[in-house]
Amino acid sequence: MDLGTRQGRREQGVLIQRVVERAGVSVEELANRIGCSRALIYQYLSGTTLAQPDRLQQIAIEVGVPLSYFYSGELLEDSRKGRRGSQSEDVHVRLSERIQQLEELAAAQENPVDWSALASTCERLIGLASQAYDKPTESRALLRLGRARIRMGEFSRAVESLEKAATHFAELSDQPAEADARQALGNALLANGRISEARDQFTWVAASPRWNARWSGTVSLAAIDEQLGDYKAAMARCDEAASILEEGKDVHDMAHGMLYVNANRVNIYLACGDFQSATGLAQKCLADAEALGSGDQHLEARLNLAFCALYQGKWALCHRTLHNALPIARFLGDKGRQAMILATLAMLLAEIGDYDSSAAHAKDALASALALGDHRAELFAQMALTDSYIGPARDSEARYHANQALAVATALRLSLFQAECRLRLARLSLRSQDFAEVREHLAKSLEIADRLGARHIRAQANALLAAWKLVTGEVQEAEAAASAALQLSKELGIVPLEWEAQAQMARVEQTRESWEPASVGDCFDRSIGLLESVRTDIREAGIPDTILENGERQQIYLDNASFLAEFTSREEALAFIQQAAWPPLVAKLQALISGG
């Protein structure tokens, strides 16, 4: 071919295109691998630009052909000229050397971990190993690629790689490697919401004779039981996994396994509303993860600690925990947990009253979750968006996202989070005085809470039930619900719920024909004291205090001020409001007193 002419360059472009397609590599992938633009590759293929020898050498290495091919058109298996001797052997040697180099590179990228680079290396290795009919190497690369994609949050793509890996290992009768592939596949399927398929994989792994596979599969089955709300079965599986771990011989491996068992136990405690037990065990998991160098469990422990702090009203601690976790997730390339951290941070900011920042973080989390196909992160992002719109009374938007979250939770068969979504919908329905919907959502939330033993869900439902019954004038029912919410919130250490329940008890007392002002004052004092304690923590942590942006919390202050105005003096009521250091309350109080 005459490379000085457009036709000659075009003939060489055809040769390039032929082997690139043969290697199963896209033009974009090839451009990324050799460090040039996709447009330049197209110019080579069309013959408009002459490919220089150094570029051709790079392409030759990537697709596993000798450089001479691009000048002669002879492939490895091309026997048209009967030349299979030394040149064919040379290509085999080069291909084997390249495969070995890539395997060594992949191993190096696993320690320290660089998931993105590892995935890229494995994709190249899979193509070359397939070309060399080296199924063991191809299978190992598929497994590594699947694991890397899980860590990057690319769960749907991970399933594809891991299914191929499991099939290849089965064909090779490599049961240990097949168990590893099935375990990873189960994790990817679970993240995609394909619960029954994930259970099948974990059941296969748990039945393996290998010690490592048995405990891994068993603890993963515990995670499925917990997700489906069978906490008793989940805890029993954790205990079973712990017993299997005791049979181990390597102390490091046993400790690593117990870290995963305890992480699942934390999730069970959280699901039951036992935040004290969850916090203690999550702190142990964090210490163990740091000692063992487990990045994913380090992040999981921080997330669990943040959830505990969020529920308990330790918002400054929650803020610090999440902000420490976010750069770690970015550094590790763990996009799934990064989306979860953003969603949790959005929930926290909504509680604090910073609704604009909350919505921004929640939208980022949702976009990431949808791109990754991470349904767990999607659920939390939708709930966070609901919270960010409930506060500023953007009810139609809040209701939309609450229903979206409920749809995801229902599809994933996550009863606990179905109840969480229904509680949000009940609050919105109460605001619009759609009492039929309030009744429906609260009834289903209470049923789920009792079935699962989720006491924090029952506590929240009782607080809303008390508010509803007060609006409809059913005082006895309101008192019973508020009292139950107060008792549970104290037992579980849920400070935001306790201040809400204390305020409800004060309002209930005021509806009686003969009521005790001292009792009302005590309830308001305790409610506002809890609120002020959290506000102080927020300010001391350097976080803007926007807690009184929330209208329901403003109402607690206004109700107490009205009580003070009636039983002490207007001056004391105004002084109380001014001490709250939230100027809009002063105008509201003056309007309230003038109207009274």
Side-chain angles (χ1 to χ4, degrees):
M1 65 188 76
D2 183 359
L3 297 178
T5 65
R6 172 71 178 270
Q7 179 59 33
R9 294 192 296 272
R10 172 60 183 144
E11 290 175 9
Q12 189 178 69
V14 170
L15 295 178
I16 296 171
Q17 185 169 5
R18 182 185 302 167
V19 289
V20 167
E21 291 175 351
R22 179 173 175 269
V25 179
S26 69
V27 170
E28 186 171 13
E29 288 174 331
L30 179 63
N32 289 335
R33 291 180 188 181
I34 68 174
C36 71
S37 68
R38 182 172 55 180
L40 182 59
I41 300 294
Y42 284 135
Q43 289 170 20
Y44 292 163
L45 300 183
S46 64
T48 56
T49 298
L50 175 64
Q52 298 301 310
D54 60 334
R55 285 292 189 201
L56 289 176
Q57 181 65 59
Q58 288 179 297
I59 296 172
I61 291 172
E62 293 300 331
V63 299
V65 299
L67 177 62
S68 60
Y69 162 75
F70 296 116
Y71 299 96
S72 67
E74 293 184 9
L75 282 170
L76 176 65
E77 69 272 31
D78 192 349
S79 59
R80 285 174 297 178
K81 297 184 180 180
R83 297 176 58 191
R84 286 186 173 270
S86 60
Q87 188 181 57
S88 176
E89 292 173 3
D90 183 58
V91 171
H92 275 298
V93 170
R94 287 175 178 272
L95 188 57
S96 297
E97 288 176 350
R98 184 58 177 158
I99 289 172
Q100 183 179 351
Q101 290 170 357
L102 288 174
E103 281 213 283
E104 291 172 355
L105 177 58
Q109 288 166 338
E110 286 181 316
N111 188 27
V113 176
D114 184 342
W115 298 115
S116 179
L118 177 61
S120 177
T121 298
C122 288
E123 287 170 347
R124 297 158 68 186
L125 188 54
I126 289 164
L128 292 178
S130 175
Q131 183 180 338
Y133 301 102
D134 185 351
K135 183 167 283 188
T137 298
E138 181 184 358
S139 304
R140 290 192 298 271
L142 283 165
L143 176 55
R144 276 178 164 145
L145 177 59
R147 286 172 170 166
R149 284 173 171 169
I150 288 175
R151 294 303 182 90
M152 293 189 295
E154 299 174 3
F155 300 111
S156 296
R157 297 184 70 196
V159 168
E160 179 184 349
S161 301
L162 293 166
E163 284 178 337
K164 291 179 181 177
T167 300
H168 286 356
F169 285 128
E171 292 171 354
L172 294 167
S173 299
D174 187 343
Q175 191 177 67
E178 183 182 356
D180 290 342
R182 287 181 179 273
Q183 177 68 30
L185 175 58
N187 291 331
L189 289 166
L190 190 59
N192 272 293
R194 295 161 65 176
I195 296 175
S196 61
E197 294 172 78
R199 185 191 290 276
D200 290 343
Q201 298 300 326
F202 294 142
T203 300
W204 190 99
V205 175
S208 170
R210 292 175 62 236
W211 171 81
N212 188 62
R214 284 166 55 214
W215 76 256
S216 299
T218 302
V219 79
S220 295
L221 288 170
I224 287 184
D225 288 333
E226 179 264 319
Q227 188 163 315
L228 296 177
D230 192 345
Y231 304 140
K232 183 177 180 180
M235 193 61 82
R237 295 269 197 191
C238 286
D239 293 343
E240 182 184 352
S243 296
I244 295 170
L245 282 164
E246 290 176 0
E247 301 171 11
K249 298 177 181 179
D250 186 289
V251 175
H252 181 274
D253 288 346
M254 293 168 65
H256 189 264
M258 279 306 303
L259 175 57
Y260 282 88
V261 171
N262 285 331
N264 278 271
R265 285 171 170 160
V266 170
N267 290 333
I268 297 168
Y269 288 137
L270 281 171
C272 295
D274 188 350
F275 301 111
Q276 183 175 354
S277 297
T279 298
L281 192 53
Q283 287 171 339
K284 173 175 170 50
C285 287
L286 181 61
D288 291 345
E290 290 175 347
L292 295 167
S294 177
D296 64 323
Q297 288 307 302
H298 178 101
L299 285 174
E300 192 70 16
R302 285 189 181 273
L303 262 173
N304 285 332
L305 287 168
F307 277 121
C308 291
L310 176 62
Y311 263 103
Q312 293 179 300
K314 300 176 182 178
W315 293 340
L317 174 60
C318 182
H319 192 273
R320 183 167 63 252
T321 302
L322 292 170
H323 275 276
N324 287 338
L326 192 56
I328 297 173
R330 287 172 176 155
F331 176 75
L332 294 176
D334 193 334
K335 295 180 182 178
R337 285 190 176 88
Q338 184 177 329
M340 280 294 296
I341 291 168
L342 285 173
T344 310
L345 181 57
M347 288 181 179
L348 170 66
L349 292 171
E351 289 285 9
I352 292 175
D354 187 352
Y355 300 119
D356 290 341
S357 296
S358 172
H361 284 303
K363 288 175 181 177
D364 287 344
L366 181 59
S368 179
L370 293 173
L372 297 170
D374 187 337
H375 297 299
R376 177 177 176 236
E378 178 189 357
L379 169 62
F380 277 80
Q382 294 285 12
M383 290 195 297
L385 277 168
T386 303
D387 296 343
S388 69
Y389 292 133
I390 284 179
R394 295 168 62 176
D395 288 6
S396 62
E397 292 161 287
R399 186 178 293 277
Y400 169 79
H401 289 289
N403 281 314
Q404 289 294 307
L406 180 58
V408 176
T410 302
L412 297 177
R413 297 166 61 191
L414 298 176
S415 298
L416 180 70
F417 293 104
Q418 290 177 45
E420 290 272 17
C421 296
R422 288 190 179 278
L423 288 172
R424 287 165 167 80
L425 288 166
R427 191 175 293 275
L428 289 165
S429 298
L430 181 59
R431 185 181 287 174
S432 64
Q433 296 197 345
D434 188 341
F435 298 137
E437 280 200 5
V438 174
R439 179 183 294 106
E440 176 189 352
H441 291 307
L442 288 182
K444 290 183 178 179
S445 295
L446 286 165
E447 182 275 323
I448 290 171
D450 290 341
R451 173 162 51 86
L452 300 182
R455 294 191 297 162
H456 60 306
I457 298 295
R458 170 162 276 284
Q460 293 176 78
N462 276 324
L464 284 169
L465 181 61
W468 170 33
K469 294 303 180 181
L470 267 176
V471 171
T472 57
E474 300 169 76
V475 178
Q476 288 185 335
E477 291 86 345
E479 181 178 14
S483 178
L486 182 57
Q487 181 180 346
L488 278 171
S489 63
K490 287 181 175 179
E491 289 177 7
L492 301 175
I494 307 177
V495 170
L497 190 60
E498 185 179 348
W499 75 51
E500 184 178 343
Q502 290 282 13
Q504 296 286 22
M505 292 296 291
R507 293 163 184 152
V508 167
E509 180 67 21
Q510 287 177 297
T511 62
R512 302 183 192 279
E513 290 185 9
S514 57
W515 52 281
E516 294 292 333
S519 297
V520 173
D522 287 345
C523 287
F524 275 130
D525 285 347
R526 286 191 287 268
S527 177
I528 291 165
L530 291 168
L531 263 162
E532 285 299 315
S533 176
V534 174
R535 292 183 72 196
T536 299
D537 287 345
I538 288 291
R539 289 194 293 267
E540 289 180 351
I543 303 168
D545 175 15
T546 52
I547 286 177
L548 292 184
E549 281 283 4
N550 182 286
E552 293 174 2
R553 294 172 199 152
Q554 287 185 26
Q555 194 60 52
I556 294 174
Y557 282 72
L558 289 172
D559 287 350
N560 184 52
S562 297
F563 168 74
L564 291 173
E566 182 177 355
F567 287 93
T568 54
S569 67
R570 293 191 175 191
E571 290 73 19
E572 186 170 340
L574 184 58
F576 160 72
I577 289 296
Q578 288 174 333
Q579 288 172 2
W582 195 254
L585 281 174
V586 177
K588 288 184 178 181
L589 176 63
Q590 290 174 337
L592 188 63
I593 292 175
S594 300

